[in-house]
Amino acid sequence: MEECLAAYNSGDRPANERSAVKLSVHAFCESAPGRSVEIRVPPYIAAQAIAGTTHRRGTPSAVVETDARTWLELVAGRLDWQEAVRLGRVHASGARSDLSEWLPLKALRPS
């Protein structure tokens, strides 16, 4: 993930962007298990997380959608959740769609 963030800062698109996004979304889902919020980082992944009402069909009642760079900056702690929402870099709707409780993702930060 650090390689991706460094590439973004250099103005490049990282070669490993897809794998970094997928791995970090899966890690997020492990740290906040459930099926009440759909996390979307197109075109790479859509996954469900956070305990609560289980979504089964149609449009979920809670959706968080963002681009790869924003997602990786959020999970790494380089971008604050509220700031990302305020700037329109994250679109969050529905109950439980505030991910600030789980971000930055502790599982991905070096100890």
Side-chain angles (χ1 to χ4, degrees), residues 26-75:
H26 288 299
F28 181 88
C29 292
E30 286 178 13
S31 71
R35 297 179 53 98
S36 69
V37 179
E38 186 161 288
I39 311 295
R40 298 177 181 169
V41 185
Y44 302 126
I45 192 167
Q48 295 178 352
I50 304 177
T53 305
T54 299
H55 165 69
R56 293 189 190 336
R57 294 175 39 182
T59 303
S61 60
V63 175
V64 171
E65 186 166 339
T66 190
D67 61 278
R69 180 178 185 160
T70 300
W71 175 256
L72 293 174
E73 289 176 347
L74 286 165
V75 298

Side-chain angles (χ1 to χ4, degrees), residues 2-104:
E2 290 300 320
E3 292 173 7
C4 284
L5 296 172
Y8 292 137
N9 290 336
S10 298
D12 297 325
R13 183 171 181 165
N16 62 339
E17 181 180 72
R18 178 186 181 121
S19 61
V21 168
K22 287 182 135 194
L23 288 171
S24 62
V25 170
H26 288 299
F28 181 88
C29 292
E30 286 178 13
S31 71
R35 297 179 53 98
S36 69
V37 179
E38 186 161 288
I39 311 295
R40 298 177 181 169
V41 185
Y44 302 126
I45 192 167
Q48 295 178 352
I50 304 177
T53 305
T54 299
H55 165 69
R56 293 189 190 336
R57 294 175 39 182
T59 303
S61 60
V63 175
V64 171
E65 186 166 339
T66 190
D67 61 278
R69 180 178 185 160
T70 300
W71 175 256
L72 293 174
E73 289 176 347
L74 286 165
V75 298
R78 302 257 177 104
L79 179 62
D80 177 72
W81 172 260
Q82 284 78 18
E83 182 73 0
V85 171
R86 186 184 70 75
L87 293 172
R89 293 180 64 185
V90 169
H91 302 281
S93 62
R96 297 183 184 88
S97 65
D98 180 346
L99 304 185
S100 59
E101 179 180 340
W102 296 277
L103 296 171

